[in-house]
Amino acid sequence: MSRYPKPSVTVDIVVFSIFDDHLKVLLIKRGRPPFEGRWALPGGFVEIDESLETAARRELAEETGLRITTLEQVHTFGDPGRDPRGRTISVVYCGLVQADQVSPKAASDAATVSWFSAFRPPALAFDHQQIIRCAIERLRQKLEWTTVGYELLPRRFTLAQFQRVYEIILQKPVDKRRFRRKILAQGELVEGGRARVPGSNRATKHYSFRRPHA
């Protein structure tokens, strides 16, 4: 027997979206112990012959049917006692999607799948409440130096729509002039002409991103 007991390794996936003017997180209802019937993040054990990201993509597809273009490794959680099945270390990934572009469907050991407020989720299994808070903080940090919010926007959008994404994630108002100056200075946007605002005679400027928009 090994002198050093080996912990198990799992992956958990935090999927965020914005709709109904709120930041949402995708959760599954667990269909088996531990925490059977409790809401949790999609995830599971890493197979011996697969990479961490491969495991994250497999578990996400198996439990929700989703396949996300970009998954970012966010943090690792390994406090003793976090999993009643034994010593378990979880590597957390985060992805962003447009809610109207995906159709989550429960599968594998997930009884059902649904979107919830990322800031006020239901009682969760394991330490998943802490994991979601960590993922939100990481998302907020990235807003300071990237245009991460583009994955939550349609292909063509207004600066007002983009600003609202920031306000929803930060949970506070954003100065309009400072925001527009910062975003335009990053050089990631391409003007796409003007289009009428629904319910108004006013036309407003629309933009798209230079990078491929999956």
Side-chain angles (χ1 to χ4, degrees):
M1 180 179 293
S2 173
R3 181 180 172 185
Y4 303 100
K6 293 179 173 59
S8 297
V9 179
T10 62
V11 286
D12 287 303
I13 307 95
V14 184
V15 180
F16 288 128
S17 189
I18 288 181
F19 57 96
D20 296 335
D21 213 34
H22 287 86
L23 182 67
K24 305 283 189 172
V25 63
L26 189 65
L27 300 177
I28 64 164
K29 181 173 284 188
R30 290 182 58 81
R32 63 180 67 169
F35 301 105
E36 183 176 3
R38 185 79 68 89
W39 290 99
L41 293 167
F45 289 93
V46 179
E47 300 291 347
I48 196 67
D49 60 347
E50 64 183 350
S51 70
L52 292 171
E53 184 172 335
T54 298
R57 293 185 179 281
R58 174 182 56 77
E59 286 289 343
L60 183 62
E62 287 179 356
E63 294 191 336
T64 71
L66 295 189
R67 288 175 170 79
I68 296 178
T69 302
T70 303
L71 281 179
E72 179 193 9
Q73 190 176 131
V74 173
H75 197 66
T76 301
F77 289 78
D79 288 347
R82 63 176 299 275
D83 190 328
R85 293 169 293 191
R87 187 75 170 93
T88 305
I89 295 171
S90 181
V91 181
V92 176
Y93 284 81
C94 184
L96 308 177
V97 299
Q98 295 177 51
D100 61 353
Q101 299 297 314
V102 296
S103 300
K105 185 177 180 180
S108 185
D109 60 350
T112 187
V113 59
S114 188
W115 294 100
F116 289 88
S117 166
F119 300 107
R120 293 178 297 279
L124 299 177
F126 306 104
D127 53 357
H128 290 185
Q129 190 101 28
Q130 180 184 356
I131 289 176
I132 292 173
R133 287 197 297 266
C134 175
I136 291 173
E137 185 56 34
R138 172 62 175 168
L139 184 57
R140 286 173 168 173
Q141 291 172 357
K142 289 193 70 175
L143 290 180
E144 294 299 318
W145 51 275
T146 73
T147 50
V148 62
Y150 84 93
E151 293 165 287
L152 299 169
L153 289 163
R155 290 183 180 275
R156 297 181 71 249
F157 54 88
T158 66
L159 290 181
Q161 287 176 304
F162 201 4
Q163 179 178 331
R164 186 58 188 149
V165 166
Y166 274 59
E167 292 175 336
I168 290 170
I169 294 171
L170 296 172
Q171 291 284 279
K172 63 181 182 182
V174 172
D175 181 81
K176 179 178 177 179
R177 289 185 180 179
R178 186 177 303 170
F179 171 81
R180 296 188 175 208
R181 184 165 58 248
K182 170 187 170 181
I183 292 299
L184 293 175
Q186 291 176 334
E188 292 284 351
L189 302 187
V190 178
E191 287 189 27
R194 292 180 175 270
R196 290 194 183 280
V197 177
S200 171
N201 291 323
R202 180 172 56 89
T204 189
K205 191 177 294 185
H206 280 66
Y207 295 85
S208 60
F209 278 89
R210 294 185 187 281
R211 71 186 71 183
H213 194 304

